[in-house]
Structure formats: structure tokens, C-alpha cells
Amino acid sequence: MKNKRETIVTAGVIADTHDFLDEKVFDIFDGVDIILHAGDIEGMEIIRRLEEIAPVEAVAGNHESEEVQAKYQWITSVDLGGVEVALTHRFLPVNVNSTLPLLPLKKEWLKEFGIENARGLVFGHAHEPANFKLNDVLYFNSGYAGPDMTEPMRTVGLIYSDGVELTGDVFFLNPPPRDWYLDRALEWPKAR
């Protein structure tokens, strides 16, 4: 009998590319089953390049071309090996301290958005990674993946589904400017 569940689906997660795609993404996402783009794509060329790796599910952010806005909704859900994941761009406030009183998300809010069965919430916009669970729901932001000149930290992520639970990892596209940067993303629920 196996103690450890096997991963049945791996999703590459990227957000806030702002019309830029780092070549390191191709190595990090090599072998993923699907890619989730949590908005601020800006142009469809990014989606076409990501589709060279795997099928892409995406949502529109607040900085999009007309083509992206016409193609993608602001929120959707994705099945990752039998586990529902909600995908959106701007769901939680940017400021971590103002976000904490909102978590865990109220069931009536989830129902209003049609994601009441979601076991994961993938979002973007904050430009900082988040990877934590509250009440068995994974809250995951892969962070900012756009051009170097805009933000000091650039990251992407992977989410793993074993058909029952979700886990995630964040990967740096450039070295972190501060040692505590990623640790902070993992401390959100502990700061309450």
C-alpha cells in the first residue's frame, strides 16, 4: 500500500507577464499538463508561446489588449485531475495585511462567483507569490513574471494535484533581492 499519493496533474502557473515571457519558463514548465495564466497577459503572443509547452487556461487582468479582453473572462474554474481550481486575476487586495481579514473566503462569496467547490484559488495582480492553505483551500499566486525593469522579483509556480489535494511550489526567474521575500508568501496565514 502506498503512503504517498501520486501526482496526476501538474499545472504551470504564471501571472502578470505584461507582454514578456522569460525563456526560463520553458524549462520550469517542461512536462506540465496545463498552464494557468492568472491575467495581465497584455497580448495574445504570450498565450501562443505558452501553448508551445502545454494547453493554456487564462483569465483577463486589468492590463489587457482588446483581443485578450474579448477572449477571456475575469474568473473561471479549471479541473486539475478531479480537483476544481478557481482562476482569476484580481481577487484579493494587494496589501497582505488588508487581505488577512478576508480569509478564508466566505462560502456565500464563493457561491456568488460559481466557485463554491473550488479546492484552490489561483490569482495574480499582487506581484508577490503566495502559497498557503486555509480550510483545505490552496491560495496560490505565482507572483510577477514580467520584464525585469518593472519589479525586483520575478517568479512562476507549479501546482500539483493528486486527485484529492493540491500543493504548490514557487520558482525564481531571477535571484531574490531579499532573503525573507519568499518566506513572507508562506507566512500569510500565520500572520493572523
Side-chain angles (χ1 to χ4, degrees), residues 53-87:
I53 304 167
V56 177
E57 289 284 342
V59 290
N62 56 304
H63 292 280
E64 305 295 11
S65 66
E66 288 181 18
E67 184 180 13
V68 170
Q69 287 179 5
K71 182 169 175 72
Y72 297 112
Q73 301 174 11
W74 75 275
I75 191 168
T76 191
S77 64
V78 179
D79 182 286
L80 293 183
V83 180
E84 183 179 343
V85 174
L87 176 64

PDB file of all heavy atoms in Angstrom, residues 53-87:
ATOM      1  N   ILE A  53       4.195  24.844 -25.025  1.00  0.00           N
ATOM      2  CA  ILE A  53       4.553  23.961 -23.910  1.00  0.00           C
ATOM      3  C   ILE A  53       3.390  23.026 -23.572  1.00  0.00           C
ATOM      4  O   ILE A  53       3.569  21.823 -23.440  1.00  0.00           O
ATOM      5  CB  ILE A  53       4.928  24.788 -22.660  1.00  0.00           C
ATOM      6  CG1 ILE A  53       6.048  25.778 -22.973  1.00  0.00           C
ATOM      7  CG2 ILE A  53       5.298  23.867 -21.497  1.00  0.00           C
ATOM      8  CD1 ILE A  53       6.270  26.831 -21.892  1.00  0.00           C
ATOM      9  N   ALA A  54       2.188  23.611 -23.400  1.00  0.00           N
ATOM     10  CA  ALA A  54       1.006  22.850 -22.967  1.00  0.00           C
ATOM     11  C   ALA A  54      -0.245  23.692 -23.228  1.00  0.00           C
ATOM     12  O   ALA A  54      -0.139  24.902 -23.462  1.00  0.00           O
ATOM     13  CB  ALA A  54       1.109  22.510 -21.480  1.00  0.00           C
ATOM     14  N   PRO A  55      -1.428  23.081 -23.160  1.00  0.00           N
ATOM     15  CA  PRO A  55      -2.660  23.869 -23.284  1.00  0.00           C
ATOM     16  C   PRO A  55      -2.711  24.944 -22.197  1.00  0.00           C
ATOM     17  O   PRO A  55      -2.197  24.738 -21.086  1.00  0.00           O
ATOM     18  CB  PRO A  55      -3.771  22.835 -23.080  1.00  0.00           C
ATOM     19  CG  PRO A  55      -3.144  21.517 -23.340  1.00  0.00           C
ATOM     20  CD  PRO A  55      -1.694  21.649 -22.980  1.00  0.00           C
ATOM     21  N   VAL A  56      -3.340  26.070 -22.516  1.00  0.00           N
ATOM     22  CA  VAL A  56      -3.379  27.208 -21.600  1.00  0.00           C
ATOM     23  C   VAL A  56      -4.819  27.572 -21.254  1.00  0.00           C
ATOM     24  O   VAL A  56      -5.663  27.686 -22.142  1.00  0.00           O
ATOM     25  CB  VAL A  56      -2.676  28.443 -22.220  1.00  0.00           C
ATOM     26  CG1 VAL A  56      -2.790  29.656 -21.299  1.00  0.00           C
ATOM     27  CG2 VAL A  56      -1.219  28.132 -22.541  1.00  0.00           C
ATOM     28  N   GLU A  57      -5.078  27.753 -19.972  1.00  0.00           N
ATOM     29  CA  GLU A  57      -6.305  28.369 -19.465  1.00  0.00           C
ATOM     30  C   GLU A  57      -5.883  29.718 -18.921  1.00  0.00           C
ATOM     31  O   GLU A  57      -4.867  29.819 -18.223  1.00  0.00           O
ATOM     32  CB  GLU A  57      -6.941  27.544 -18.351  1.00  0.00           C
ATOM     33  CG  GLU A  57      -7.564  26.256 -18.815  1.00  0.00           C
ATOM     34  CD  GLU A  57      -8.906  26.444 -19.514  1.00  0.00           C
ATOM     35  OE1 GLU A  57      -9.539  27.513 -19.362  1.00  0.00           O
ATOM     36  OE2 GLU A  57      -9.317  25.518 -20.218  1.00  0.00           O
ATOM     37  N   ALA A  58      -6.653  30.764 -19.215  1.00  0.00           N
ATOM     38  CA  ALA A  58      -6.251  32.104 -18.784  1.00  0.00           C
ATOM     39  C   ALA A  58      -7.472  32.926 -18.412  1.00  0.00           C
ATOM     40  O   ALA A  58      -8.604  32.594 -18.783  1.00  0.00           O
ATOM     41  CB  ALA A  58      -5.462  32.795 -19.898  1.00  0.00           C
ATOM     42  N   VAL A  59      -7.218  33.992 -17.692  1.00  0.00           N
ATOM     43  CA  VAL A  59      -8.231  34.984 -17.371  1.00  0.00           C
ATOM     44  C   VAL A  59      -7.682  36.356 -17.719  1.00  0.00           C
ATOM     45  O   VAL A  59      -6.468  36.547 -17.791  1.00  0.00           O
ATOM     46  CB  VAL A  59      -8.643  34.954 -15.880  1.00  0.00           C
ATOM     47  CG1 VAL A  59      -9.431  33.695 -15.565  1.00  0.00           C
ATOM     48  CG2 VAL A  59      -7.436  35.093 -14.970  1.00  0.00           C
ATOM     49  N   ALA A  60      -8.581  37.297 -17.936  1.00  0.00           N
ATOM     50  CA  ALA A  60      -8.176  38.667 -18.232  1.00  0.00           C
ATOM     51  C   ALA A  60      -7.839  39.393 -16.939  1.00  0.00           C
ATOM     52  O   ALA A  60      -8.494  39.202 -15.909  1.00  0.00           O
ATOM     53  CB  ALA A  60      -9.299  39.399 -18.958  1.00  0.00           C
ATOM     54  N   GLY A  61      -6.807  40.211 -17.006  1.00  0.00           N
ATOM     55  CA  GLY A  61      -6.423  41.056 -15.887  1.00  0.00           C
ATOM     56  C   GLY A  61      -6.873  42.480 -16.135  1.00  0.00           C
ATOM     57  O   GLY A  61      -7.756  42.739 -16.950  1.00  0.00           O
ATOM     58  N   ASN A  62      -6.236  43.423 -15.476  1.00  0.00           N
ATOM     59  CA  ASN A  62      -6.609  44.824 -15.625  1.00  0.00           C
ATOM     60  C   ASN A  62      -5.705  45.575 -16.610  1.00  0.00           C
ATOM     61  O   ASN A  62      -5.887  46.766 -16.808  1.00  0.00           O
ATOM     62  CB  ASN A  62      -6.608  45.533 -14.260  1.00  0.00           C
ATOM     63  CG  ASN A  62      -5.301  45.419 -13.530  1.00  0.00           C
ATOM     64  OD1 ASN A  62      -4.808  44.323 -13.295  1.00  0.00           O
ATOM     65  ND2 ASN A  62      -4.720  46.544 -13.159  1.00  0.00           N
ATOM     66  N   HIS A  63      -4.745  44.874 -17.239  1.00  0.00           N
ATOM     67  CA  HIS A  63      -3.897  45.458 -18.294  1.00  0.00           C
ATOM     68  C   HIS A  63      -3.907  44.497 -19.471  1.00  0.00           C
ATOM     69  O   HIS A  63      -3.016  43.647 -19.581  1.00  0.00           O
ATOM     70  CB  HIS A  63      -2.451  45.645 -17.805  1.00  0.00           C
ATOM     71  CG  HIS A  63      -2.287  46.674 -16.743  1.00  0.00           C
ATOM     72  ND1 HIS A  63      -2.239  48.012 -17.023  1.00  0.00           N
ATOM     73  CD2 HIS A  63      -2.188  46.557 -15.396  1.00  0.00           C
ATOM     74  CE1 HIS A  63      -2.100  48.682 -15.890  1.00  0.00           C
ATOM     75  NE2 HIS A  63      -2.066  47.829 -14.893  1.00  0.00           N
ATOM     76  N   GLU A  64      -4.886  44.608 -20.342  1.00  0.00           N
ATOM     77  CA  GLU A  64      -5.021  43.657 -21.446  1.00  0.00           C
ATOM     78  C   GLU A  64      -5.306  44.368 -22.766  1.00  0.00           C
ATOM     79  O   GLU A  64      -5.929  45.426 -22.786  1.00  0.00           O
ATOM     80  CB  GLU A  64      -6.158  42.656 -21.180  1.00  0.00           C
ATOM     81  CG  GLU A  64      -6.061  41.885 -19.885  1.00  0.00           C
ATOM     82  CD  GLU A  64      -4.881  40.930 -19.776  1.00  0.00           C
ATOM     83  OE1 GLU A  64      -3.971  40.971 -20.622  1.00  0.00           O
ATOM     84  OE2 GLU A  64      -4.855  40.144 -18.820  1.00  0.00           O
ATOM     85  N   SER A  65      -4.877  43.734 -23.845  1.00  0.00           N
ATOM     86  CA  SER A  65      -5.254  44.205 -25.172  1.00  0.00           C
ATOM     87  C   SER A  65      -6.738  43.907 -25.384  1.00  0.00           C
ATOM     88  O   SER A  65      -7.342  43.114 -24.655  1.00  0.00           O
ATOM     89  CB  SER A  65      -4.425  43.477 -26.238  1.00  0.00           C
ATOM     90  OG  SER A  65      -4.774  42.094 -26.254  1.00  0.00           O
ATOM     91  N   GLU A  66      -7.328  44.530 -26.386  1.00  0.00           N
ATOM     92  CA  GLU A  66      -8.742  44.268 -26.709  1.00  0.00           C
ATOM     93  C   GLU A  66      -8.946  42.794 -27.052  1.00  0.00           C
ATOM     94  O   GLU A  66      -9.967  42.203 -26.702  1.00  0.00           O
ATOM     95  CB  GLU A  66      -9.200  45.154 -27.861  1.00  0.00           C
ATOM     96  CG  GLU A  66      -9.353  46.605 -27.470  1.00  0.00           C
ATOM     97  CD  GLU A  66      -9.843  47.465 -28.616  1.00  0.00           C
ATOM     98  OE1 GLU A  66     -10.384  46.922 -29.612  1.00  0.00           O
ATOM     99  OE2 GLU A  66      -9.681  48.688 -28.515  1.00  0.00           O
ATOM    100  N   GLU A  67      -7.977  42.188 -27.740  1.00  0.00           N
ATOM    101  CA  GLU A  67      -8.084  40.780 -28.127  1.00  0.00           C
ATOM    102  C   GLU A  67      -8.140  39.873 -26.893  1.00  0.00           C
ATOM    103  O   GLU A  67      -8.955  38.947 -26.826  1.00  0.00           O
ATOM    104  CB  GLU A  67      -6.894  40.400 -29.014  1.00  0.00           C
ATOM    105  CG  GLU A  67      -6.961  38.995 -29.555  1.00  0.00           C
ATOM    106  CD  GLU A  67      -5.774  38.641 -30.430  1.00  0.00           C
ATOM    107  OE1 GLU A  67      -4.755  39.381 -30.437  1.00  0.00           O
ATOM    108  OE2 GLU A  67      -5.861  37.608 -31.102  1.00  0.00           O
ATOM    109  N   VAL A  68      -7.307  40.144 -25.905  1.00  0.00           N
ATOM    110  CA  VAL A  68      -7.300  39.343 -24.679  1.00  0.00           C
ATOM    111  C   VAL A  68      -8.602  39.562 -23.909  1.00  0.00           C
ATOM    112  O   VAL A  68      -9.230  38.612 -23.430  1.00  0.00           O
ATOM    113  CB  VAL A  68      -6.071  39.667 -23.798  1.00  0.00           C
ATOM    114  CG1 VAL A  68      -6.188  39.023 -22.428  1.00  0.00           C
ATOM    115  CG2 VAL A  68      -4.791  39.222 -24.492  1.00  0.00           C
ATOM    116  N   GLN A  69      -9.042  40.807 -23.802  1.00  0.00           N
ATOM    117  CA  GLN A  69     -10.292  41.110 -23.104  1.00  0.00           C
ATOM    118  C   GLN A  69     -11.482  40.415 -23.747  1.00  0.00           C
ATOM    119  O   GLN A  69     -12.379  39.947 -23.053  1.00  0.00           O
ATOM    120  CB  GLN A  69     -10.548  42.615 -23.077  1.00  0.00           C
ATOM    121  CG  GLN A  69      -9.648  43.362 -22.139  1.00  0.00           C
ATOM    122  CD  GLN A  69      -9.916  44.861 -22.162  1.00  0.00           C
ATOM    123  OE1 GLN A  69     -10.844  45.336 -22.812  1.00  0.00           O
ATOM    124  NE2 GLN A  69      -9.096  45.608 -21.457  1.00  0.00           N
ATOM    125  N   ALA A  70     -11.480  40.334 -25.073  1.00  0.00           N
ATOM    126  CA  ALA A  70     -12.590  39.687 -25.780  1.00  0.00           C
ATOM    127  C   ALA A  70     -12.573  38.169 -25.607  1.00  0.00           C
ATOM    128  O   ALA A  70     -13.625  37.532 -25.619  1.00  0.00           O
ATOM    129  CB  ALA A  70     -12.539  40.042 -27.264  1.00  0.00           C
ATOM    130  N   LYS A  71     -11.415  37.596 -25.433  1.00  0.00           N
ATOM    131  CA  LYS A  71     -11.291  36.133 -25.377  1.00  0.00           C
ATOM    132  C   LYS A  71     -11.486  35.554 -23.979  1.00  0.00           C
ATOM    133  O   LYS A  71     -12.042  34.465 -23.819  1.00  0.00           O
ATOM    134  CB  LYS A  71      -9.930  35.703 -25.918  1.00  0.00           C
ATOM    135  CG  LYS A  71      -9.731  34.195 -25.950  1.00  0.00           C
ATOM    136  CD  LYS A  71      -8.500  33.813 -26.729  1.00  0.00           C
ATOM    137  CE  LYS A  71      -8.203  32.344 -26.684  1.00  0.00           C
ATOM    138  NZ  LYS A  71      -9.093  31.507 -27.447  1.00  0.00           N
ATOM    139  N   TYR A  72     -11.043  36.258 -22.929  1.00  0.00           N
ATOM    140  CA  TYR A  72     -11.014  35.680 -21.592  1.00  0.00           C
ATOM    141  C   TYR A  72     -11.929  36.412 -20.613  1.00  0.00           C
ATOM    142  O   TYR A  72     -12.059  37.634 -20.652  1.00  0.00           O
ATOM    143  CB  TYR A  72      -9.584  35.672 -21.041  1.00  0.00           C
ATOM    144  CG  TYR A  72      -8.654  34.814 -21.857  1.00  0.00           C
ATOM    145  CD1 TYR A  72      -7.629  35.380 -22.609  1.00  0.00           C
ATOM    146  CD2 TYR A  72      -8.809  33.435 -21.900  1.00  0.00           C
ATOM    147  CE1 TYR A  72      -6.778  34.594 -23.369  1.00  0.00           C
ATOM    148  CE2 TYR A  72      -7.965  32.634 -22.656  1.00  0.00           C
ATOM    149  CZ  TYR A  72      -6.955  33.230 -23.383  1.00  0.00           C
ATOM    150  OH  TYR A  72      -6.121  32.441 -24.139  1.00  0.00           O
ATOM    151  N   GLN A  73     -12.515  35.635 -19.691  1.00  0.00           N
ATOM    152  CA  GLN A  73     -13.332  36.168 -18.610  1.00  0.00           C
ATOM    153  C   GLN A  73     -12.427  36.622 -17.473  1.00  0.00           C
ATOM    154  O   GLN A  73     -11.229  36.370 -17.480  1.00  0.00           O
ATOM    155  CB  GLN A  73     -14.275  35.079 -18.093  1.00  0.00           C
ATOM    156  CG  GLN A  73     -15.203  34.522 -19.132  1.00  0.00           C
ATOM    157  CD  GLN A  73     -16.007  33.345 -18.579  1.00  0.00           C
ATOM    158  OE1 GLN A  73     -16.021  33.074 -17.382  1.00  0.00           O
ATOM    159  NE2 GLN A  73     -16.680  32.642 -19.471  1.00  0.00           N
ATOM    160  N   TRP A  74     -13.009  37.227 -16.446  1.00  0.00           N
ATOM    161  CA  TRP A  74     -12.204  37.661 -15.297  1.00  0.00           C
ATOM    162  C   TRP A  74     -12.053  36.549 -14.269  1.00  0.00           C
ATOM    163  O   TRP A  74     -11.165  36.602 -13.423  1.00  0.00           O
ATOM    164  CB  TRP A  74     -12.783  38.917 -14.659  1.00  0.00           C
ATOM    165  CG  TRP A  74     -14.019  38.675 -13.836  1.00  0.00           C
ATOM    166  CD1 TRP A  74     -15.309  38.612 -14.290  1.00  0.00           C
ATOM    167  CD2 TRP A  74     -14.079  38.449 -12.425  1.00  0.00           C
ATOM    168  NE1 TRP A  74     -16.161  38.360 -13.242  1.00  0.00           N
ATOM    169  CE2 TRP A  74     -15.435  38.258 -12.082  1.00  0.00           C
ATOM    170  CE3 TRP A  74     -13.122  38.389 -11.415  1.00  0.00           C
ATOM    171  CZ2 TRP A  74     -15.847  38.012 -10.781  1.00  0.00           C
ATOM    172  CZ3 TRP A  74     -13.548  38.139 -10.115  1.00  0.00           C
ATOM    173  CH2 TRP A  74     -14.893  37.954  -9.819  1.00  0.00           C
ATOM    174  N   ILE A  75     -12.919  35.528 -14.335  1.00  0.00           N
ATOM    175  CA  ILE A  75     -12.806  34.390 -13.431  1.00  0.00           C
ATOM    176  C   ILE A  75     -13.306  33.148 -14.152  1.00  0.00           C
ATOM    177  O   ILE A  75     -14.235  33.222 -14.960  1.00  0.00           O
ATOM    178  CB  ILE A  75     -13.585  34.618 -12.113  1.00  0.00           C
ATOM    179  CG1 ILE A  75     -13.242  33.542 -11.075  1.00  0.00           C
ATOM    180  CG2 ILE A  75     -15.081  34.710 -12.360  1.00  0.00           C
ATOM    181  CD1 ILE A  75     -13.737  33.867  -9.658  1.00  0.00           C
ATOM    182  N   THR A  76     -12.670  32.026 -13.887  1.00  0.00           N
ATOM    183  CA  THR A  76     -13.091  30.747 -14.465  1.00  0.00           C
ATOM    184  C   THR A  76     -12.669  29.647 -13.499  1.00  0.00           C
ATOM    185  O   THR A  76     -11.986  29.908 -12.511  1.00  0.00           O
ATOM    186  CB  THR A  76     -12.477  30.532 -15.865  1.00  0.00           C
ATOM    187  OG1 THR A  76     -13.105  29.410 -16.488  1.00  0.00           O
ATOM    188  CG2 THR A  76     -10.975  30.323 -15.823  1.00  0.00           C
ATOM    189  N   SER A  77     -13.101  28.440 -13.761  1.00  0.00           N
ATOM    190  CA  SER A  77     -12.620  27.318 -12.960  1.00  0.00           C
ATOM    191  C   SER A  77     -12.053  26.257 -13.892  1.00  0.00           C
ATOM    192  O   SER A  77     -12.462  26.133 -15.045  1.00  0.00           O
ATOM    193  CB  SER A  77     -13.716  26.744 -12.068  1.00  0.00           C
ATOM    194  OG  SER A  77     -14.750  26.189 -12.829  1.00  0.00           O
ATOM    195  N   VAL A  78     -11.098  25.523 -13.361  1.00  0.00           N
ATOM    196  CA  VAL A  78     -10.357  24.525 -14.132  1.00  0.00           C
ATOM    197  C   VAL A  78     -10.330  23.234 -13.321  1.00  0.00           C
ATOM    198  O   VAL A  78     -10.115  23.272 -12.104  1.00  0.00           O
ATOM    199  CB  VAL A  78      -8.914  25.011 -14.398  1.00  0.00           C
ATOM    200  CG1 VAL A  78      -8.121  23.993 -15.181  1.00  0.00           C
ATOM    201  CG2 VAL A  78      -8.912  26.360 -15.096  1.00  0.00           C
ATOM    202  N   ASP A  79     -10.527  22.104 -13.994  1.00  0.00           N
ATOM    203  CA  ASP A  79     -10.425  20.812 -13.341  1.00  0.00           C
ATOM    204  C   ASP A  79      -8.988  20.314 -13.458  1.00  0.00           C
ATOM    205  O   ASP A  79      -8.482  20.137 -14.561  1.00  0.00           O
ATOM    206  CB  ASP A  79     -11.384  19.816 -14.001  1.00  0.00           C
ATOM    207  CG  ASP A  79     -11.345  18.459 -13.326  1.00  0.00           C
ATOM    208  OD1 ASP A  79     -10.341  17.728 -13.529  1.00  0.00           O
ATOM    209  OD2 ASP A  79     -12.299  18.114 -12.619  1.00  0.00           O
ATOM    210  N   LEU A  80      -8.343  20.107 -12.322  1.00  0.00           N
ATOM    211  CA  LEU A  80      -6.985  19.554 -12.300  1.00  0.00           C
ATOM    212  C   LEU A  80      -7.061  18.146 -11.721  1.00  0.00           C
ATOM    213  O   LEU A  80      -6.998  17.961 -10.509  1.00  0.00           O
ATOM    214  CB  LEU A  80      -6.038  20.415 -11.463  1.00  0.00           C
ATOM    215  CG  LEU A  80      -5.716  21.813 -11.969  1.00  0.00           C
ATOM    216  CD1 LEU A  80      -4.703  22.486 -11.067  1.00  0.00           C
ATOM    217  CD2 LEU A  80      -5.224  21.784 -13.396  1.00  0.00           C
ATOM    218  N   GLY A  81      -7.269  17.185 -12.572  1.00  0.00           N
ATOM    219  CA  GLY A  81      -7.307  15.798 -12.138  1.00  0.00           C
ATOM    220  C   GLY A  81      -8.401  15.508 -11.132  1.00  0.00           C
ATOM    221  O   GLY A  81      -8.184  14.753 -10.187  1.00  0.00           O
ATOM    222  N   GLY A  82      -9.560  16.122 -11.300  1.00  0.00           N
ATOM    223  CA  GLY A  82     -10.679  15.899 -10.395  1.00  0.00           C
ATOM    224  C   GLY A  82     -10.769  16.891  -9.251  1.00  0.00           C
ATOM    225  O   GLY A  82     -11.660  16.798  -8.412  1.00  0.00           O
ATOM    226  N   VAL A  83      -9.859  17.858  -9.199  1.00  0.00           N
ATOM    227  CA  VAL A  83      -9.878  18.888  -8.159  1.00  0.00           C
ATOM    228  C   VAL A  83     -10.144  20.233  -8.842  1.00  0.00           C
ATOM    229  O   VAL A  83      -9.402  20.632  -9.738  1.00  0.00           O
ATOM    230  CB  VAL A  83      -8.545  18.930  -7.375  1.00  0.00           C
ATOM    231  CG1 VAL A  83      -8.592  20.002  -6.304  1.00  0.00           C
ATOM    232  CG2 VAL A  83      -8.237  17.565  -6.776  1.00  0.00           C
ATOM    233  N   GLU A  84     -11.204  20.919  -8.402  1.00  0.00           N
ATOM    234  CA  GLU A  84     -11.556  22.201  -9.021  1.00  0.00           C
ATOM    235  C   GLU A  84     -10.682  23.327  -8.482  1.00  0.00           C
ATOM    236  O   GLU A  84     -10.475  23.458  -7.275  1.00  0.00           O
ATOM    237  CB  GLU A  84     -13.026  22.542  -8.754  1.00  0.00           C
ATOM    238  CG  GLU A  84     -13.462  23.828  -9.436  1.00  0.00           C
ATOM    239  CD  GLU A  84     -14.924  24.171  -9.194  1.00  0.00           C
ATOM    240  OE1 GLU A  84     -15.700  23.294  -8.771  1.00  0.00           O
ATOM    241  OE2 GLU A  84     -15.276  25.333  -9.438  1.00  0.00           O
ATOM    242  N   VAL A  85     -10.169  24.138  -9.429  1.00  0.00           N
ATOM    243  CA  VAL A  85      -9.349  25.293  -9.093  1.00  0.00           C
ATOM    244  C   VAL A  85      -9.992  26.525  -9.729  1.00  0.00           C
ATOM    245  O   VAL A  85     -10.307  26.525 -10.911  1.00  0.00           O
ATOM    246  CB  VAL A  85      -7.906  25.121  -9.635  1.00  0.00           C
ATOM    247  CG1 VAL A  85      -7.092  26.384  -9.415  1.00  0.00           C
ATOM    248  CG2 VAL A  85      -7.230  23.926  -8.988  1.00  0.00           C
ATOM    249  N   ALA A  86     -10.201  27.564  -8.934  1.00  0.00           N
ATOM    250  CA  ALA A  86     -10.691  28.837  -9.444  1.00  0.00           C
ATOM    251  C   ALA A  86      -9.485  29.648  -9.905  1.00  0.00           C
ATOM    252  O   ALA A  86      -8.450  29.671  -9.243  1.00  0.00           O
ATOM    253  CB  ALA A  86     -11.455  29.588  -8.371  1.00  0.00           C
ATOM    254  N   LEU A  87      -9.631  30.306 -11.043  1.00  0.00           N
ATOM    255  CA  LEU A  87      -8.553  31.105 -11.633  1.00  0.00           C
ATOM    256  C   LEU A  87      -9.079  32.507 -11.874  1.00  0.00           C
ATOM    257  O   LEU A  87     -10.110  32.685 -12.523  1.00  0.00           O
ATOM    258  CB  LEU A  87      -8.092  30.460 -12.947  1.00  0.00           C
ATOM    259  CG  LEU A  87      -7.041  31.181 -13.765  1.00  0.00           C
ATOM    260  CD1 LEU A  87      -5.709  31.279 -13.009  1.00  0.00           C
ATOM    261  CD2 LEU A  87      -6.830  30.458 -15.106  1.00  0.00           C
TER     262      LEU A  87
END
